[in-house]
Amino acid sequence: MEKFYQGITDFIFVEHPLQKADLIFVPGGDYPDSAKHAAALYHQGFAPFILPSGRYSILKDRFEGAYETEWEYLKDILVKEGVPETAVLKEDQATFTYENAVKSREVLERLGLVPGRAILSCQAFHARRCLMYYQEQFPDTKLLVSPVVTRDICRENWYLDREKIDVVLGEVERCGTQFHQILYEKIKEKTGGPPERNGGR
């Protein structure tokens, strides 16, 4: 049984040794952990800027609570953690993970910033999907994943509880289905027409 889930564990729970970088990416969400982790990395001197990203979930039509957007919520956490406002860049339009990467790239392009190295501060079980999408948008950037454990889901315990299993295997499925569509769109851009689909959905 151990060999069966070890491959999934290694695939999903990505983590890299940290080095100093040009900035820290924080994909959007309504939880504080990734922003707090990014703030800690900032104070340790790993990067001079943090770029939180997010409007609200595509599954909702607004951000629930006292904030207008995920970005505003994450920025407030960063500032409360002692990060100066001048170090927090702004992206408040993305509504899902791939858009977090796309819109973050657009922000950096407008600012004329080209990161040679960047850190991804994200949920541990979300690490692979974040890395895939940001790497697709930043092919020339060395991305280092610095995950934070949320919902008590980590590489040591995800297979011991039904709810944790559902979350992690849901990530495996989304890595396939969502990236599937991204690749189709890339083919469409190159050919100028709809790509032929061969095989499953």
Side-chain angles (χ1 to χ4, degrees):
M1 182 66 175
E2 183 175 347
K3 290 183 179 179
F4 169 74
Y5 57 69
Q6 190 61 51
I8 294 173
T9 301
D10 292 341
F11 177 71
I12 290 295
F13 293 93
V14 186
E15 183 169 6
H16 300 119
L18 287 181
Q19 303 174 44
K20 287 193 174 183
D22 298 305
L23 79 158
I24 302 168
F25 290 117
V26 181
D30 57 358
Y31 57 94
D33 310 77
S34 293
K36 288 184 176 180
H37 183 58
L41 295 176
Y42 172 87
H43 289 305
Q44 292 170 48
F46 278 107
F49 297 103
I50 301 175
L51 176 50
S53 169
R55 187 178 182 187
Y56 45 68
S57 170
I58 196 172
L59 303 176
K60 304 175 183 179
D61 61 356
R62 62 187 177 88
F63 184 75
E64 296 178 356
Y67 301 91
E68 292 293 323
T69 64
E70 293 174 348
W71 176 83
E72 185 182 347
Y73 167 71
L74 295 170
K75 179 204 170 190
D76 191 48
I77 292 170
L78 291 168
V79 171
K80 287 178 179 177
E81 292 292 314
V83 178
E85 290 192 34
T86 54
V88 183
L89 306 180
K90 183 176 182 178
E91 192 302 291
D92 63 354
Q93 296 301 308
T95 59
F96 53 93
T97 305
Y98 185 52
E99 270 197 347
N100 290 140
V102 172
K103 299 296 184 181
S104 293
R105 176 183 53 76
E106 292 173 355
V107 165
L108 295 182
E109 286 179 347
R110 287 195 297 270
L111 294 174
L113 298 177
V114 182
R117 183 183 294 126
I119 296 170
L120 265 172
S121 177
C122 60
Q123 298 182 91
F125 64 79
H126 194 36
R128 175 59 67 178
R129 192 151 56 101
C130 287
L131 178 59
M132 287 170 64
Y133 296 162
Y134 276 81
Q135 194 69 83
E136 193 271 336
Q137 286 295 303
F138 295 91
D140 299 320
T141 300
K142 181 176 178 61
L143 288 170
L144 305 174
V145 178
S146 184
V148 58
V149 174
T150 58
R151 298 166 63 177
D152 190 35
I153 302 175
C154 61
R155 62 184 301 123
E156 290 81 16
N157 70 10
W158 72 266
Y159 49 83
L160 301 176
D161 174 273
R162 288 180 65 93
E163 182 178 347
K164 293 180 175 65
I165 290 170
D166 288 345
V167 170
V168 171
L169 294 188
E171 282 296 311
V172 174
E173 293 170 5
R174 281 186 284 276
C175 282
T177 57
Q178 293 181 7
F179 206 69
H180 202 160
Q181 191 58 41
I182 291 169
L183 291 176
Y184 278 149
E185 291 302 319
K186 291 295 180 183
I187 294 174
K188 185 177 179 180
E189 289 175 8
K190 290 180 179 179
T191 63
E196 294 184 6
R197 299 197 180 201
N198 183 18
R201 300 175 181 175

